[in-house]
Amino acid sequence: MTNEEMERAIEFLLGHHAKVSADTDRLTDRLDRLAVAQTKTTNDLQMLTGKVLELTDGVASTQSQLESVIEEMREGFNNLIVANEVTRKLAEDVARLGIKTSQRVTPLEVRVDELEQKRQ
């Protein structure tokens, strides 16, 4: 191998080494940026997971409250039905008592009218 061939080979090796070194530096920079992006993504994911858990807890709490309100309303409706039935029964009893009272008072009224007419 001649001196000139040796110099070209050395230049080639040095050039190749410089290119490989530059490529390695670029790859290292890209890996560093990817690591930062991955860390940010991991942090964002953890934050979102926390928010999802909060929302899930909120939904469960809301569902529990809704079920409680529905149960209270159901109990209230049942109480209203019972109260309506009792009120209807009391109204019927009052009507019967009114009729009985009227039946008892009518003869007395007739008698009072007769007595008043005799007095005149």
Side-chain angles (χ1 to χ4, degrees), residues 68-86:
S68 175
V69 167
I70 288 171
E71 185 57 36
E72 285 179 33
M73 288 176 69
R74 184 175 289 125
E75 186 176 321
F77 289 142
N78 289 338
N79 289 340
L80 284 172
I81 290 168
V82 169
N84 185 45
E85 290 171 359
V86 168

Side-chain angles (χ1 to χ4, degrees), residues 31-85:
L31 284 173
D32 289 345
R33 283 183 288 181
L34 280 172
V36 168
Q38 182 181 8
T39 300
K40 183 183 179 314
T41 301
T42 300
N43 291 340
D44 290 348
L45 185 57
Q46 288 173 345
M47 181 187 67
L48 288 173
T49 301
K51 287 184 178 183
V52 167
L53 289 175
E54 287 174 17
L55 287 173
T56 302
D57 290 343
V59 167
S61 174
T62 301
Q63 185 175 8
S64 174
Q65 290 172 349
L66 182 59
E67 288 171 359
S68 175
V69 167
I70 288 171
E71 185 57 36
E72 285 179 33
M73 288 176 69
R74 184 175 289 125
E75 186 176 321
F77 289 142
N78 289 338
N79 289 340
L80 284 172
I81 290 168
V82 169
N84 185 45
E85 290 171 359

Side-chain angles (χ1 to χ4, degrees), residues 16-29:
H16 183 68
H17 181 301
K19 183 181 180 302
V20 168
S21 180
D23 289 346
T24 302
D25 288 344
R26 280 196 309 274
L27 286 173
T28 300
D29 288 343

Side-chain angles (χ1 to χ4, degrees), residues 83-98:
N84 185 45
E85 290 171 359
V86 168
T87 302
R88 187 175 325 159
K89 174 75 170 105
L90 288 173
E92 289 171 0
D93 291 347
V94 166
R96 270 194 295 279
L97 287 173

